[in-house]
Amino acid sequence: MVTALAAAVSAPVPAAAEGFVNTRGGWMALTAEAKAAYVQGLNDSLNFFYVDDTLVEALAKRGRTRCLVEQRVTAAALSAIITNAYNEPQFARSSPVAVYVLKIGELCRPYINRERQEFGLGPQ
């Protein structure tokens, strides 16, 4: 019995990327709650300021954050934006992170451009 258990524990286990959503199908398979939680984490990670951010990156993050706060966008609303985008053929092969960047970029472009203008940069 001990030998069988030791063999089972030491047997190679294939690596799995469980929990990562990289496709439309993966996104659509999530529950509404899981979509909201996923996009909240995605939003937080994409808009966190890092010490090595370029000025352009930091201004985009600041603009997106102001946009979402001022418009009172919730995680549920962000997940609906991604879900609705997946109904558009051009997004069918994109990952949720790509859809987020493109759709939130559209929604928040005026805010991002305002941040850029304050630093003397042209519009995005």
Side-chain angles (χ1 to χ4, degrees):
M1 175 98 158
V2 172
T3 307
L5 181 59
V9 170
S10 65
V13 178
E18 297 292 327
F20 292 97
V21 179
N22 295 310
T23 64
R24 178 189 185 278
W27 177 262
M28 296 307 237
L30 297 174
T31 64
E33 294 80 11
K35 287 176 183 172
Y38 194 93
V39 78
Q40 180 67 56
L42 184 66
N43 181 73
D44 290 349
S45 69
L46 289 174
N47 291 317
F48 183 82
F49 291 96
Y50 293 98
V51 102
D52 61 345
D53 281 346
T54 65
L55 178 61
V56 170
E57 291 168 334
L59 293 174
K61 291 176 179 185
R62 186 171 168 175
R64 285 193 304 259
T65 300
R66 281 196 182 185
C67 168
L68 297 174
V69 168
E70 288 182 17
Q71 293 190 32
R72 297 183 175 177
V73 177
T74 63
L78 287 174
S79 69
I81 289 169
I82 292 173
T83 300
N84 291 336
Y86 275 131
N87 293 323
E88 301 173 37
Q90 67 266 30
F91 293 108
R93 302 190 78 199
S94 301
S95 66
V97 68
V99 174
Y100 171 93
V101 169
L102 293 170
K103 295 309 270 183
I104 301 309
E106 289 174 14
L107 174 71
C108 297
R109 186 158 289 116
Y111 291 85
I112 295 167
N113 286 338
R114 193 173 327 135
E115 297 296 333
R116 290 173 60 89
Q117 185 178 16
E118 287 181 19
F119 279 84
L121 299 175
Q124 187 182 45

